[in-house]
Amino acid sequence: RWLTCKSLPPGALERIADTIADRLRIPWFSGAVKINVSLVPPLVLLPVFLHVASLHFLLGLIILTSLPVVVLWYYYLTHRRKERTLFFLSLGLFSLGYMYYVFLREVVPRGHVEYSQVVALTCGLILMLAALSRAKKDPGYLPIPGGNEKPSHQALPSKSVRGSSSGLHGISGAASSRAVNGEAKGYCRIAEQPEGVKKDWCTKCQLVRPARAGHCRLCGRCVRRLDHHCVWINSCVGEHNHQAFILALSFFMLTSVYGITLTLHTICRGRSPFVALFYCPGAYSDYSSALSFTCVWYCAIVTAGMGYILLIQMLNISYNVTEREARLALRDNTGRRLLGGLVIDTGQYNRGLLCNWGHFLSLGSSPPQRSAEDIV
């Protein structure tokens, strides 16, 4: 019908795409293994695009300019459809592996990189992957009540909860330990549930959410202190994995900048890395140098994007605000734009720079058992 320019029934293309995705399997000993379609494009297209971009300066300019546009378009498409995808995670991991492969194959054999520098770069990559693995774990999902234990909406208190220890589902309040409430070594105190903050009822998960928790539409779960759903790890960033997420970003930035510096010192000797990034006359003298230079620019683009994400995260932590709270504050017009709009200060949990960072570093710590006198 498509070849004869006839109209297709509604949903025909989606059904065809679903059928192809279901049939895309590889043989295995225990049976054919289904392949996620979103994993294929990065594995195939990234090496092809980078090798084509290495053929000429203009090709490199066109491809390296179009790649971020295509990635942003795909992100907008999946975000609008509220779909989970492994495309960004596979793109990030394969990019790391392929850049490391090009570094070992094209840069190290030139003899200008020392063994200790290769070891340092490898250690940074391993530490980043370890932090990423930790960030992929449970972000702090709230347990879904069983069939006989679902709380009723009518049983919720009508008044605001002030963080007392009598909250539903074991939610601790202002009398919790110093680590949970954000007290850092006795110099400040952060009320995790200040006066006037209500606990929410999630109609989808059928449970009462503590303060700062939120429901992720992509994961379909409520998460404690939900910051945002990160497509690069295909998971939420919440109370239990926010520290690992920041650590993975930090290791990535250090490792990427170090690898870019080593590569530019090798193929553009005698110039500083910043100058060599924009002016390296011998970069396209041979294909090996052209490929290395193209990969450097690809790494620089990705590093700039991840650096912006890390900067926003560091500013949000400094003001003790999450991405979700900033978005809601903008929608309700209850926050203040600071630093040129880079951060939205809600003023609800901000207790100063040191206290805010002390609270962040204590996230996920288990509260000690309280005595009956403390509860009273």
Side-chain angles (χ1 to χ4, degrees):
R1 294 178 67 91
W2 177 72
L3 291 176
T4 56
C5 299
K6 295 181 181 180
S7 61
L8 295 176
L13 294 179
E14 288 77 4
R15 290 194 296 271
I16 293 174
D18 292 340
T19 303
I20 295 176
D22 181 69
R23 298 296 187 270
L24 189 60
R25 301 168 183 264
I26 57 175
W28 200 247
F29 298 101
S30 58
V33 179
K34 185 178 179 180
I35 301 177
N36 195 311
V37 180
S38 59
L39 296 174
V40 178
L43 303 181
V44 177
L45 297 181
L46 182 63
V48 173
F49 284 160
L50 291 179
H51 280 277
V52 172
S54 304
L55 296 176
H56 195 271
F57 170 75
L58 292 179
L59 287 175
L61 182 63
I62 294 173
I63 291 177
L64 293 177
T65 304
S66 59
L67 275 179
V69 177
V70 174
V71 172
L72 290 176
W73 170 80
Y74 187 73
Y75 167 75
Y76 171 77
L77 184 65
T78 55
H79 184 74
R80 186 182 62 180
R81 295 180 178 178
K82 301 179 179 63
E83 297 177 352
R84 297 190 67 180
T85 176
L86 292 174
F87 173 82
F88 299 97
L89 179 61
S90 62
L91 176 62
L93 293 178
F94 185 69
S95 296
L96 286 173
Y98 191 70
M99 295 303 104
Y100 186 68
Y101 167 77
V102 171
F103 178 79
L104 295 180
R105 181 181 176 86
E106 306 294 344
V107 179
V108 174
R110 293 172 179 262
H112 301 297
V113 179
E114 298 180 0
Y115 177 76
S116 59
Q117 293 174 325
V118 177
V119 172
L121 186 69
T122 306
C123 290
L125 186 62
I126 294 175
L127 291 174
M128 192 278 297
L129 292 176
L132 181 63
S133 176
R134 174 63 186 86
K136 281 284 296 175
K137 295 182 179 179
D138 179 19
Y141 291 123
L142 290 174
I144 299 178
N148 299 327
E149 298 179 357
K150 287 187 178 181
S152 61
H153 183 62
Q154 292 79 7
L156 290 179
S158 58
K159 296 183 180 180
S160 63
V161 182
R162 299 187 178 183
S164 63
S165 59
S166 60
L168 298 179
H169 299 285
I171 301 169
S172 60
S176 299
S177 64
R178 292 184 174 184
V180 173
N181 281 338
E183 288 188 37
K185 299 182 180 179
Y187 57 79
C188 61
R189 181 176 183 273
I190 297 176
E192 187 62 21
Q193 292 180 347
E195 184 173 353
V197 175
K198 295 182 179 180
K199 296 174 183 175
D200 298 324
W201 170 261
C202 181
T203 57
K204 295 183 178 180
C205 294
Q206 295 293 298
L207 52 80
V208 180
R209 296 183 301 207
R212 311 192 77 175
H215 184 86
C216 177
R217 298 177 298 175
L218 298 178
C219 296
R221 296 283 299 274
C222 285
V223 182
R224 294 183 181 274
R225 197 183 179 276
L226 175 62
D227 189 86
H228 69 288
H229 181 93
C230 181
V231 296
W232 294 105
I233 65 174
N234 194 33
S235 178
C236 289
V237 176
E239 183 178 285
H240 291 173
N241 68 340
H242 202 169
Q243 297 173 350
F245 178 72
I246 296 296
L247 197 61
L249 281 177
S250 302
F251 278 129
F252 171 80
M253 291 295 298
L254 293 175
T255 305
S256 179
V257 171
Y258 187 58
I260 290 174
T261 303
L262 291 178
T263 304
L264 289 177
H265 275 314
T266 301
I267 62 177
C268 302
R269 299 189 61 81
R271 290 181 174 85
S272 64
F274 183 78
V275 174
L277 190 62
F278 295 95
Y279 182 70
C280 185
Y284 287 88
S285 59
D286 58 276
Y287 186 76
S288 176
S289 299
L291 179 61
S292 302
F293 189 71
T294 302
C295 290
V296 162
W297 259 105
Y298 176 75
C299 289
I301 294 173
V302 175
T303 303
M306 294 301 169
Y308 176 77
I309 296 175
L310 180 60
L311 174 63
I312 297 299
Q313 287 289 314
M314 301 286 276
L315 291 175
N316 286 344
I317 295 171
S318 301
Y319 285 90
N320 200 2
V321 63
T322 63
E323 283 289 322
R324 175 177 176 270
E325 292 167 349
R327 185 174 63 252
L328 294 177
L330 285 178
R331 185 194 66 183
D332 301 334
N333 198 22
T334 58
R336 295 185 304 147
R337 290 181 177 270
L338 300 176
L339 303 177
L342 291 177
V343 63
I344 307 299
D345 182 20
T346 61
Q348 196 171 19
Y349 302 98
N350 187 5
R351 299 297 183 271
L353 180 65
L354 294 180
C355 293
N356 294 339
W357 274 96
H359 169 66
F360 173 76
L361 295 177
S362 66
L363 287 178
S365 57
S366 301
Q369 296 292 334
R370 293 177 294 165
S371 63
E373 295 180 356
D374 295 332
I375 296 177
V376 173

